[in-house]
């Protein structure tokens, strides 16, 4: 431990230099002041490739204090490469406490999920964002999309949903489902499943979004209205699952499909691993787990 | 017809550095009136059209528009938000190349429906029904509603562009060589369609064209431009049948007779 | 009796810029009037400016000087100086014109070509079409042609479509530029009858008829255009 800290003596706390953190914090403050608005910032080169969360990492680095407890998830899991690497990175460069428990964390950096457990006041959720501009695929010109945001010209967003219904009979967008924040800015919630959209609405926790390659930061302050766009005759709906989690038996959570063998065997389990473990620790049991126990016996 | 002009244009000039785009153009456009601007390439007619449609800022001069509430408003003093709102509700702009006025990667229905969604319509079924209705009006088979315009012929694309513009019942439509680049038979169909729509909807229109036959068929009044200036204007049939200016006489006598 | 059309001291010349600006005088000091219920025929040899004069009265040609006064909706309008909007309004309501040739609009059926002036005047398309059918039937245009665009019709057939379109309205002034030129005797008679009806209805008619037979039948008065021509001195 001691050896590690001397080795890293040349790094500032949380990797970024103080001036950079100050610059990012200013962007974050502006983003909080204008919910849903994309604030440009001078994104730095980070010691990881773009697409691995460089935006989220910079936001986290800028808001980290020595007393914070950090949790990092990737698609809901604490134990996948991206999550493990980023957690290890901050442990190294900030020498701070890390956790996998949602309830214990003060800062949760996430890729593509919002934890199942309700976030509370004082917690901050940091999203890794690949493409922050919800209008991008319909209007490629940045000058034009900025103007559209400025003038609240969001008809195009509904064109996208219209196309969905025309092609599929229903709104087929299942992730990165556009939302309107506080009745003003249309925002891309990052590629989280639309299942998580309602959790953003009136959340007690602060939500920050960082896009490293695109150099944008935006935010949803606590207790902010976040409404998913829809049509009157095709209202917004979240995904539903036929069966509960095969491991913990949880219902009304987001499930991942896991392929078990090459004979078509599969199971559906919680995407939020912490939530699943916690439930199992408290004695909840899904069909698959019960079966395992049976055979073990 | 009401007794107040829809558009008042006074001394509009546009310079590109030292070069003249258009100079000292003044006219009034009345409700239900179709004005053709003719002249050869480089005469400044498209520059003038773009100034009128606020796609270009004139170097000097004023353009006033009578809003739906009856008030005359100076377009240059209007905020950008209001101007853009005007452009997608009360105005239309039909480009020569339909690809410039359409979203080529979304369906015909969405192309027509976009303006409705932009003004806040949020009922998919109604939007789609209106779009289908407009496709029929511009003679596009309703079963093409989910096809993208890239699968359409040039004439169909142009008709789709017109439907997309007219769906919000605009009062003023700008057209830049709407029949340019189309086959003659396709042109005739489009002209007939535009003529009927303009009449049925009581539209005012400003049409830029170098084709005098198009001007004769569609417009009530025309302006002849040369070197950035309007050299002759008046009743369309009078300008064409009894041209006064040397240049207009040259233009009229240059028409190929079939 | 009312005088819906008064032409006063009208002068017209053409400046041919493409021929070194040579100025061709057409007419000068033209003065005459047409009363309601009267048919005035412009006379004189061909090329003297009869057709040009008719076009001036319609507003199709500009004039160099003088006045062309028409009674339009209770007001007197000078077509020589009126703005395009006013000229169009006068044409829509008061002043009709049957030209020598039909200017064909692509794709529009004959029946709709005829009904168009009524529809433009605010009549419902269905009743306008009904009246158009009656007109075409009266002029013996074969029924199977009604739904076709007149572009491919013969000269006489086009002429009849043109006449039907000109006579269908209730304009108070009607200008006729050789409406019977390419018609057979039977249809010429129909047109003569139609002109008589217009006269009885109080319409002021001004026309050019080369056919002597028709001219003597319809004309109340002949205005000799050569009296206004610069060639009279030559």
């Amino acid at each position: 431990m001691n050896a590690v800290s001397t080795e890293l003596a040349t790094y500032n706390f949380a990797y970024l230099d103080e001036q950079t953190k100050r610059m990012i914090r200013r962007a974050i403050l502006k983003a909080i002041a204008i919910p849903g608005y994309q604030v440009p910032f001078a994104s730095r080169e980070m010691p990881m490739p773009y697409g691995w969360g460089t935006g989220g990492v910079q936001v986290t680095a800028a808001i980290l204090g020595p007393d914070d407890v950090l949790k990092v998830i990737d698609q809901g899991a604490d134990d996948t490469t991206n999550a493990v690497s980023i957690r290890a990175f901050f442990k190294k460069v900030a020498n701070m406490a890390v956790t996998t428990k949602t309830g214990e964390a003060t800062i949760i950096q996430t890729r593509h999920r919002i934890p199942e457990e309700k976030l509370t006041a004082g917690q901050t959720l940091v999203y890794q964002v690949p493409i922050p501009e919800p209008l991008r695929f319909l209007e490629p010109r940045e000058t034009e999309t900025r103007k559209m945001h400025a003038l609240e010209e969001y008809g195009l967003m509904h064109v996208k949903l219209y196309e969905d219904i025309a092609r599929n009979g229903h709104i087929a967008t299942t992730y990165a489902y556009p939302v309107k924040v506080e009745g003003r800015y249309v925002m891309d919630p990052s590629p989280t499943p639309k299942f998580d959209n309602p959790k953003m609405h009136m959340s007690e926790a602060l939500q920050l979004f960082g896009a490293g390659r695109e150099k944008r930061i935006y935010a949803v302050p606590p207790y902010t209205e976040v409404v998913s766009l829809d049509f009157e005759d095709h209202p917004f709906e979240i995904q539903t699952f036929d069966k509960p989690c095969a491991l913990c038996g949880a219902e009304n959570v987001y499930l991942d499909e896991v392929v078990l063998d090459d004979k078509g065997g599969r199971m559906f389990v919680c995407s939020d691993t912490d939530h699943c473990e916690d439930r199992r620790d408290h004695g909840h049991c899904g069909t698959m787990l019960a079966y395992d126990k049976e055979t073990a016996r | 017809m009401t007794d107040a002009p829809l558009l008042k244009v006074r001394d509009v000039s546009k310079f590109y550095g030292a070069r003249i785009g258009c100079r000292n153009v003044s006219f009034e456009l009345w409700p239900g009136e179709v004005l053709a601007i003719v002249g050869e390439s480089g005469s400044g007619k498209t520059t003038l059209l773009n100034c009128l449609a606020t796609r270009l800022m004139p170097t000097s001069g004023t353009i006033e528009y009578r809003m739906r509430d009856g008030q005359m408003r100076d377009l240059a003093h209007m905020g950008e938000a209001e101007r853009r709102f005007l452009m997608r509700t009360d105005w239309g702009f039909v480009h020569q190349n339909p690809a410039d006025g359409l979203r080529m990667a979304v369906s015909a229905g969405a192309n027509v429906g976009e303006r409705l969604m932009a003004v806040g319509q949020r009922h998919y079924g109604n939007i789609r029904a209106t779009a289908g209705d407009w496709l029929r009006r511009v003679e596009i088979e309703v079963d093409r509603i989910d096809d993208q315009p890239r699968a359409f012929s040039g004439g169909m694309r142009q008709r789709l562009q017109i439907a997309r513009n007219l769906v919000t019942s605009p009062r003023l439509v700008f057209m830049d060589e709407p029949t340019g680049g189309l086959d003659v038979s396709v042109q005739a169909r489009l002209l007939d369609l535009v003529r009927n729509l303009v009449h049925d909807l009581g539209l005012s229109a400003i049409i830029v064209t170098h084709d005098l036959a198009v001007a004769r068929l569609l417009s009530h009044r025309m302006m002849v431009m040369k070197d950035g200036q309007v050299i002759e204007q008046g009743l369309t049939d009078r300008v064409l049948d009894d041209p006064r200016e040397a240049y207009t006489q040259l233009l009229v006598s240059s028409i190929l007779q079939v | 009796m009312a005088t819906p059309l008064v032409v006063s001291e009208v002068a017209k010349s053409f400046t041919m810029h493409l021929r070194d600006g040579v100025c061709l005088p057409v007419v000068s000091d033209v003065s005459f009037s047409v009363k309601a219920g009267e048919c005035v025929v412009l006379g004189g040899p061909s090329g003297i400016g009869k057709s040009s004069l008719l076009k001036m009265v319609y507003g199709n040609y500009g004039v160099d000087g003088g006045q062309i006064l028409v009674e339009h909706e209770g007001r007197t309008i000078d077509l020589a100086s009126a703005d395009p909007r006013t000229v169009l309004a006068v044409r829509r309501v008061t002043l009709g014109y049957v030209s020598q040739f039909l200017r064909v609009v692509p794709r529009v059926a004959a029946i709709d070509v005829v009904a168009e002036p009524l529809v433009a005047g605010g009549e419902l398309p269905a009743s306008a079409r009904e009246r158009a059918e009656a007109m075409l039937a009266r002029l013996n245009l074969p029924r199977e042609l009604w739904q076709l665009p007149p572009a491919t019709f013969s000269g006489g057939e086009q002429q009849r479509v043109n006449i039907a379109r000109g006579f269908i309205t209730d304009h108070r002034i009607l200008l006729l530029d050789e409406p019977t030129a390419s018609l057979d005797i039977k249809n010429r008679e129909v047109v003569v009858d139609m002109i008589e009806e217009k006269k009885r209805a109080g319409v002021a008619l001004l026309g050019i008829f080369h056919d002597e037979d028709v001219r003597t039948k319809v004309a109340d008065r002949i205005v000799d255009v050569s009296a206004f021509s610069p060639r009279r001195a030559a």
Side-chain angles (χ1 to χ4, degrees), chain C residues 27-224:
Chain C
V27 287
S28 59
D29 206 17
V30 182
S31 297
F32 66 89
S33 61
V34 186
K35 291 195 183 70
E38 186 183 34
C39 179
V40 172
V41 172
L42 298 175
S46 66
I48 205 77
K50 299 189 293 293
S51 216
S52 296
L53 189 52
L54 212 58
K55 284 175 176 160
M56 283 179 246
V57 174
Y58 192 57
N60 180 218
Y61 280 7
V63 300
D64 301 342
Q67 292 178 308
I68 296 165
L69 304 172
V70 295
E71 287 296 325
H72 169 67
E73 296 183 322
R75 288 179 303 143
T76 304
I77 304 252
D78 178 14
L79 283 182
S81 60
D83 61 27
R85 241 177 108 242
T86 311
V87 175
L88 288 174
V90 170
R91 285 181 185 178
R92 198 166 49 244
V93 178
T94 306
L95 183 64
Y97 182 56
V98 180
S99 60
Q100 229 168 326
F101 304 104
L102 180 66
R103 197 175 281 286
V104 192
V105 178
R107 288 218 311 162
V108 182
I111 188 87
D112 292 322
V113 171
V114 176
E116 195 191 14
L118 291 182
V119 178
E123 195 160 327
L124 288 173
S127 70
R129 272 174 148 245
E130 228 165 80
R131 284 174 63 186
E133 284 177 8
M135 283 303 257
L136 289 176
R138 187 169 178 195
L139 284 156
N140 304 305
L141 190 78
R143 189 172 274 271
E144 55 268 27
L145 295 182
W146 294 2
Q147 300 300 332
L148 298 177
T152 53
F153 290 7
S154 74
E157 287 160 352
Q158 289 199 7
Q159 179 76 291
R160 277 177 276 161
V161 172
N162 214 10
I163 292 167
R165 178 183 161 92
F167 277 83
I168 199 168
T169 57
D170 299 324
H171 288 149
R172 306 310 298 157
I173 307 170
L174 198 54
L175 309 176
L176 308 170
D177 191 354
E178 299 215 43
T180 56
S182 35
L183 299 185
D184 55 22
I185 296 174
K186 189 173 82 180
N187 286 311
R188 232 179 283 166
E189 288 305 319
V190 175
V191 175
V192 169
D193 284 350
M194 286 166 69
I195 291 172
E196 287 301 329
E197 277 168 30
K198 286 282 181 197
K199 280 161 75 170
R200 280 199 295 279
V203 174
L205 294 115
L206 176 65
I208 302 169
F209 297 91
H210 279 166
D211 187 315
E212 260 209 69
D213 178 43
V214 176
R215 186 166 48 194
T216 44
K217 273 181 185 152
V218 300
D220 293 306
R221 199 148 55 85
I222 291 178
V223 170
D224 184 6

Side-chain angles (χ1 to χ4, degrees), chain A residues 12-292:
Chain A
N12 191 33
F13 176 76
Y15 187 75
L16 292 173
D17 63 273
E18 290 306 314
Q19 284 305 320
T20 297
K21 286 198 231 169
R22 185 178 285 187
M23 174 271 293
I24 294 173
R25 284 175 200 144
R26 283 195 189 113
I28 292 171
L29 285 173
K30 183 171 178 180
I32 292 170
I34 316 169
Y37 171 71
Q38 299 166 47
V39 184
F41 80 110
S43 178
R44 297 291 192 252
E45 287 301 319
M46 297 304 284
M48 60 183 72
Y50 288 127
W52 285 59
T54 53
V57 164
Q58 288 180 78
V59 169
T60 301
I63 61 170
L64 266 185
D67 302 331
D68 273 314
V69 181
L70 179 70
K71 169 182 163 83
V72 182
I73 53 171
D74 174 7
Q75 311 255 25
D78 294 275
D79 55 2
T80 55
T81 315
N82 198 231
V84 171
S85 310
I86 292 172
R87 202 162 54 230
F89 173 74
F90 279 114
K91 210 172 157 185
K92 212 172 205 179
V93 298
N95 192 22
M96 60 177 303
V98 294
T99 183
T100 58
K101 299 248 171 275
T102 301
E104 286 172 12
T106 55
I107 297 171
I108 302 169
Q109 182 171 330
T110 174
R111 174 175 175 269
H112 305 183
R113 268 317 304 277
I114 298 175
E116 302 293 355
E117 190 178 329
K118 186 170 176 288
L119 300 181
T120 54
Q123 288 187 304
T124 301
L125 187 59
V126 177
Y127 296 75
Q128 301 170 197
V129 181
I131 295 165
E133 179 50 72
L135 299 161
R136 174 65 68 242
F137 290 104
L138 297 151
E139 177 51 68
R141 290 168 295 182
E142 175 74 14
T143 47
E144 189 64 18
T145 53
R146 287 222 205 173
K147 201 166 270 178
M148 290 160 83
H149 281 295
L151 302 177
E152 247 186 296
E153 290 180 5
Y154 290 132
L156 205 50
M157 227 45 257
H158 276 86
V159 168
K160 185 167 180 272
L161 300 180
Y162 173 100
E163 285 291 271
D164 251 17
I165 303 172
R167 259 185 229 142
N168 307 296
H170 58 97
I171 298 178
T173 301
T174 52
Y175 64 94
Y177 192 104
V179 292
K180 196 164 204 183
V181 180
E182 203 62 13
R184 177 58 181 83
Y185 283 95
V186 166
M187 186 186 90
D188 185 334
S190 87
T192 50
K194 67 177 178 178
F195 180 88
D196 288 339
N197 274 18
K199 296 179 192 162
M200 307 178 76
H201 179 63
M202 289 293 165
S203 166
E204 290 174 26
L206 169 65
Q207 303 174 74
L208 301 176
F209 300 77
R213 180 179 43 208
E214 301 287 325
K215 302 175 173 54
R216 295 287 183 278
I217 286 171
Y218 50 103
V220 176
Y223 305 106
T224 300
E225 208 174 75
V226 178
V227 179
S228 303
L229 302 182
D230 62 2
F231 285 103
E232 289 159 16
D233 48 344
H234 287 267
F236 172 77
E237 280 168 355
I238 59 170
Q239 296 99 325
T240 52
F241 299 89
D242 303 336
K243 288 178 189 163
C245 170
L247 294 179
C248 76
E251 291 179 0
N252 303 320
V253 294
Y254 193 73
L255 301 181
D256 282 339
E257 183 179 6
V258 179
V259 176
L260 296 173
D261 51 36
D262 56 3
K263 297 186 196 79
R266 60 198 58 215
M267 64 171 181
F268 288 88
V269 295
C270 284
S271 114
D272 185 337
T273 51
D274 170 58
H275 184 70
C276 199
E277 278 165 24
D278 188 58
R279 279 177 56 85
R280 272 178 277 148
D281 289 349
H282 285 83
H284 293 283
C285 189
T287 50
M288 203 58 101
L289 206 59
Y291 170 78
D292 278 354

